Amino acid sequence: MPPAFPANWRNDAHAKVTGRTKYTDDLKFPRLLHAVPVYADEVHARLRAVETAAAAAAPGVVRVLTARDVPGANRVGQIIADFRIFADDKIRYHGDVVAVVVAETRDQAIHAGRLVRVDTVPLAAVLDPEVALRDEVLVHEERGTNLINTHRVRRGDPEAGFREAAFVIEHDFRTPFIEHAYLEPEVAVAVPRPDGVFEIHGSMQHPFSTRRFVAACLGCPLPQVEVVGTPMGGGFGGKDDTAAIVCARTALAARLLGRPVKTMYQRGWSIRESYKRHPYRVHYRMGVSAAGLITAVECRIVADGGAYCSVTPWVTWRSTVQCCGPYVVPHVHCDTLGVYTNNVVTGAMRGFGSPQMNFVVEQMVEIAAARAGLSGIEFRRRNMVRQGSVTITGQRLDNHTVSMGEVLEAVLKEIDYERKLSRCSHGHSDAAEFYGIGLAMSYRGVSLGAEGVDLCAAILNVQADGTVVLDLGVHENGQGAESAMVILCAGELGLEPDQVRCQRASTSTIPDSGTTVASRGTIMGGGAVVLAARELKRKLAAAVAETLRCAPAEVRFGDGRLHGAAGASLSFLEAVQAVWRQRERPHACAVFRAPSVSWDEETGQGDAYFTWVYGCQAVELAVHKQTGKVRLLGAVAAHDVGRAINPGMVAGQFYGGMVMGLGYALHEEVKLKDGRITNTNLNTYRLPRATDVPEMTALIIENPDPASPSGAKSIGEPTNEIMAPAVANALFHATGRRHFSLPMRPAPPWPEPASTEGAP
Amino acid sequence: MKLHLNGRELTVDEALAEKRLIEYLREELDLTGAKNACDIGACGACTILIDDEPLKICLKRVKDVAGHRLLTIEGLAEPDGTLHPLQQAFVDAGAIQCGFCTPGMVLTAHAFLRKNPTPTREQIRTAIGHNLCRCTGYQQIIDAIAAAAVAYRDRETANGLVSPPS
Ligand code: FES
Ligand code: FES
């Protein structure tokens, strides 16, 4: 395909760099009202009444909404409909919203919100998932248990596997709640239109699930709600349920008041209410043979699901499928539990259950390697998946290029790993700092896998002047999805960038294509775009083949023209006109269906994902001997993306994901005290800054995937899932200390330099 | 009350003196490039330039900047839409993802490069150290700023950055 586009091309760059992009809060509407949420300072309580009279009488207040005002369903959810749009029977976490105040100005609404009173009966809160499993205090009484879900893997005969082992290592790991910290907080505007439709503009990454939530809340048919794609300031998986519920409350206010309403979140509300990445507790045993092969793994994974289900069953499913990392393990016994607590809700976040498990597995393999007298690299080479390997769920990896070795070797070479490894301090240094290098690698199932129905649509509508309008089922979250799709489309059709334009997405114009999560945007959306473009090409070729003196299949597209037999060609526009003359429409709609997958819940066996991506990241660092302060010196990543549609944007995903992973490793943690988040703004929730992060190198590996029409796979999440264990391994090589929980805060006293890894 | 905003002189109604500056710009003037992301001066998304210095305006009132020279992101490109070399560098380097941090980043970098047109990457990191970006990992932003620096070594360009009053 000719590279018709400048490197890093984006359809929205000019508007963004000049400040002209209109995000939801930038839009203006006449007679706009402002809504704000009201919380109760309770973590677990029976809710007897919400007293709104004083607030309703405050200056500027138009209405105060509570659960009683919801005409449709007050309980929604993608898996279990337990998420309250307004707290009704109980308050289950500190972020439950008891009321929404609507006023002429935002300040008036905020002020009146303080006048809302709740009548509650406090209940004992359950804040520890292991305690919650005893079911002494129930978060949802009607369920009779705090267990949200379980998953398992049963493979081989773990007892026999451990008997075969020359040694067994066993460790416990913990990870914290993590905030997505999209720079733009939740915001929604609902506009009641004269045709009876409620138009929703909002910062959310799943327009279709938003539409379902809004329609359920209003008790109206789906087409009466139209969710319009609006530029958003970051999502990272975090703008699904909570963002959709903010839209639902806003739409309810608009419906009851007949005026446009905006709800714009303050950062404090956003952090208090929105769901987080799940904290995990993992108990992990690994048996290893004298030859340095993993013989068996047994693990128990407990995920704190918080007060509502959200997508906990899906997140924990991925953790289960990938619980042994990219290694061949013949005998596996894994039990995973998702648990309700009265903590903040947890749900989707970039990585989706893999960052936690990789933090565990990629340290376990290094601990095992040291015990076996091997380098971590050699141990990985002996155990990792290769072409034709069978995964722990019984899936044979033979329908795509298994590039685990390729990405590993690429990183080793680029960073000069093995030489630098020999220079690591291991807790002994004459200088002021210890030096360490470490790496981690992973494989990752692409898209939803057996989590859900996986298809995506695209529509190409050629206009009378020969330009193309592209309607997409994937959502622009800020990652550049639209741009990648335009590049693919124009490339297939042989057009220039400015001849293809993305239609502003709306739930009313495109078939429900699921959510733009699970790193599925490029592979699924790109698949649909390529299939639609090919269908359009067939139409055009059929109409002009005779003129071009060739068979339709021989028509070639390039330079804005269609080429046939020696020298014969027509412009794209002429071909479009030929189609019109035949009373055909130059229009194509295609659906890309993910190849089928399979799963058996009982045994945890099946072809979990239709393809996999492979990645490896290494990091170098220095640790100050006196203070423990970590200085990052450099990082290298290699990921097999199938095919890079827009290499500059792919590199951007590398860097952004790596840095978010560095934050996970060293800084970030949503702190809760008695169920209340204490760091609710960006001064106390510590994000990586430009001064914290090292220079990074992105190695894009391309092995086009046969299952993907465009050849591309995915990149958004893989980059975010292995930096924490790479840092953990580097810290170990620097200081001699293992960190079994995140974030890692190395501090003296340091272990005795002689201590060897793997010793009990 | 007078403001010099994006090269123009503006008379502001005294009644607006106590209004929050970010709301004044966003709501009264529809200059929505400055974003509100934390409200407490912790993220830099609301950064504009006051007398060529970056300032987080979420905690400022209109009266705080009376008589001063303000530059918002909307005032950086040429009136005909031609991008300033720094903006073009952001586009070319792939430094923009969601774009929410971009206006504040660009203006912070602009003020920095005017003072130091031959920066090291470490100095660039320090200069943007108080502007948060959750998307890019900063690397391509630093690439962009480093690439744009050359344009600031030419005084003409550096001084012509703010369009003259018309
Ligand atoms: S909004 Fe002003 S610094 Fe964050
Ligand atoms: S580009 Fe999204 S926060 Fe910087």
Side-chain angles (χ1 to χ4, degrees), chain A residues 62-272:
Chain A
V62 183
R63 182 135 180 189
V64 183
L65 306 174
T66 67
R68 280 200 309 268
D69 297 300
V70 176
N74 186 46
R75 301 176 185 187
V76 290
Q78 299 189 65
I79 301 175
I80 300 175
D82 63 3
F83 217 136
R84 267 55 170 182
I85 291 175
F86 294 92
D88 46 24
D89 53 345
K90 290 210 298 187
I91 288 163
R92 290 182 174 76
Y93 82 111
H94 200 230
D96 255 327
V97 169
V98 295
V100 158
V101 177
V102 191
E104 295 291 341
T105 72
R106 190 157 175 264
D107 285 345
Q108 288 170 330
I110 291 171
H111 178 259
R114 300 189 191 113
L115 305 174
V116 172
R117 292 279 169 269
V118 287
D119 178 5
T120 55
V121 183
L123 301 168
V126 56
L127 304 172
D128 181 316
E130 292 286 2
V131 174
L133 282 169
R134 292 184 213 138
D135 289 335
E136 289 157 3
V137 171
L138 290 175
V139 179
H140 296 269
E141 284 84 354
E142 67 282 10
R143 291 181 60 84
T145 172
N146 287 326
L147 191 62
I148 302 172
N149 70 284
T150 60
H151 294 298
R152 48 164 64 173
V153 174
R154 300 287 182 266
R155 180 161 188 81
D157 179 353
E159 273 186 35
F162 282 111
R163 275 198 306 274
E164 271 171 44
F167 62 90
V168 175
I169 51 173
E170 187 165 0
H171 290 284
D172 286 285
F173 297 82
R174 277 186 188 224
T175 68
F177 290 94
I178 294 291
E179 164 64 33
H180 306 77
Y182 23 74
L183 213 52
E184 177 200 34
E186 290 77 3
V187 51
V189 174
V191 183
R193 284 202 323 223
D195 61 358
V197 168
F198 293 92
E199 195 175 287
I200 312 290
H201 306 256
S203 185
M204 38 73 206
Q205 67 189 94
H206 193 347
F208 291 100
S209 131
T210 300
R211 184 174 68 158
R212 279 192 291 276
F213 280 25
V214 173
C217 171
L218 300 185
C220 72
L222 291 174
Q224 209 178 325
V225 178
E226 190 173 320
V227 181
V228 182
T230 311
M232 63 187 258
F236 316 111
K239 282 184 177 157
D240 207 329
D241 307 81
T242 314
I245 287 174
V246 172
C247 290
R249 294 188 197 116
T250 311
L252 175 62
R255 169 172 162 159
L256 294 175
L257 298 166
R259 285 171 63 178
V261 179
K262 179 195 282 184
T263 312
M264 160 73 184
Y265 267 49
Q266 291 180 349
R267 180 64 60 182
W269 306 339
S270 170
I271 292 187
R272 179 174 185 168

Side-chain angles (χ1 to χ4, degrees), chain B residues 35-46 56-58:
Chain B
K35 304 297 178 200
N36 202 335
C38 75
D39 257 328
I40 57 162
C43 74
C46 62
K56 296 168 181 172
I57 59 166
C58 55

Side-chain angles (χ1 to χ4, degrees), chain B residues 55-118:
Chain B
L55 187 76
K56 296 168 181 172
I57 59 166
C58 55
L59 296 172
K60 295 287 166 196
R61 307 264 159 194
V62 174
K63 63 175 186 197
D64 297 337
V65 295
H68 291 272
R69 208 155 32 84
L70 275 55
L71 179 71
T72 72
I73 191 69
E74 290 87 350
L76 192 54
E78 299 293 329
D80 70 354
T82 306
L83 296 183
H84 181 276
L86 176 60
Q87 290 172 309
Q88 190 60 51
F90 266 66
V91 173
D92 294 343
I96 302 160
Q97 289 190 34
C98 83
F100 215 69
C101 69
T102 307
M105 264 318 166
V106 169
L107 290 172
T108 303
H110 177 54
F112 167 67
L113 288 175
R114 290 186 63 161
K115 285 192 279 191
N116 182 356
T118 53

Side-chain angles (χ1 to χ4, degrees), chain A residues 674-698:
Chain A
D674 305 326
R676 293 166 175 83
I677 297 174
T678 57
N679 48 347
T680 56
N681 208 326
L682 301 177
N683 56 342
T684 44
Y685 187 84
R686 175 73 164 81
L687 295 177
R689 299 175 174 281
T691 41
D692 295 323
V693 306
E695 294 296 329
M696 295 172 278
T697 306

